[in-house]
Amino acid sequence: MKKVSRRGFVERLGLGLGASLLVPAFEAYAAKKAPLYAGKKLRVALCGLGRYANLVREGLAASQYCQLAGIVTGTPAKAAQWRSAYGIPEKNVYSYQNFDTILANKSIDVVYITLPNALHKAFTLRAAKAGKHVIVEKPMALTEQDCQQMIAACQRAGVQLAVGYRLHYEPNHLELKRLGQEKVFGPVRLIEASLGYRLADISPEDWHLKKALAGGGPLMNLGVYCVQSSRYVLGEEPVAVSAQFGPVTLPDLFKEVEESITWQLYFPSGALCTSTATATCNIDRFFASADNGFFELSPGLSYGPFKGRSSQGAFNFPVINQQAAQVDGIAPFLLDNKPLPAHISGEEGRKDLRVLDGIYQAARSGEKITLR
Ligand code: NAD
């Protein structure tokens, strides 16, 4: 597969080589601006056509290596609307019932699952059995054990499994990762990473509030970004966790899942990460304190636009379409039949669920938990 040279893309962006982080996914996204790729595109079927599916659809439209080729939906009206709006042939439209017949469809390469969290596992298993690669939204599943079963099923079926971690392809986050892992300001000792939205206007029937469908509250939907950022900035896996549930200020909504949760992750180097995921208030920030300086993003973990600063001054990379960068970061591996890098594969999702399982266990027990 032909790719744009690193120097070429930098020149088109008008950036000096030294001024950029030059990350492959960003390269792929930037290259999109000049339509240089004319090879076979990755043909994606979106499964579950809700709010986030619409952002992924826009990302696919802006991507270089992918195209929206099919849909899986339980709502016939949506099927008709998407078919006519995005030119999807009838043979590439599936319901949740007949989804397994996608096995025979040679014009779909990958199923991208944007269903409620609890359905990620079942649809990953079905897609894998049908011989399709899978991209599954975060959180990958409800438990680490579910993730292990999903990884095993994809391995057995000979298909690849990626998790929809859009921030892994986002230039400000790649800068955080570089500053932390390369110890640019010395070893990082403390991270504060929190994400929250005041959720007062949500319907009490929304699946995010139902334990059986969401698996939990803000920890599952937002906290996963805090856990992720601490892990990829430190380049380490936490060994212990303590956690506390926060107060319930919206009792009509938060009957089944937590409204907020605060936790502390302890890393082998001695670094500590403290985080809150909450539906009580708005917060969106990442801060790392190292021996010789600090670095932060605020806004930091949402959709952005992100604003970065370190003890050496501001850093702000271009605002990108995060979904386009993500699918273009994944697609070249699937098109070339090469293994996905571990940090964007199902294994990464499993590592996060290991930590999320531990956070819930610690909050419920009130004990500091050692992570296996
Ligand atoms: P949503 O409610 O807007 O969409 C869910 C879709 O699933 C709807 O089309 C709904 O009809 C369908 N569905 C099928 N079975 C259902 C059932 N039993 N109950 C409820 N809906 C059912 O949700 P969303 O915000 O699009 O989230 C979908 C997934 O995407 C979640 O896993 C979420 O965590 C993830 N997400 C990721 C990001 C990100 O930035 N990566 C952002 C938002 C959501």
Side-chain angles (χ1 to χ4, degrees), residues 199 215 221 292 358:
L199 263 196
N221 289 307
N292 308 315

Side-chain angles (χ1 to χ4, degrees), residues 48-53 78 96 114-117 119-120 137-139 164 166 207-208 213 221 225 303:
L49 306 181
R51 285 163 290 207
Y52 196 62
K78 269 193 214 169
Y96 300 129
T114 48
L115 289 164
N117 307 343
L119 303 175
H120 292 181
E137 256 317 309
K138 47 59 50 180
R166 58 188 165 77
W207 66 264
H208 289 89
L213 281 170
N221 289 307
Y225 290 110
Y303 296 128

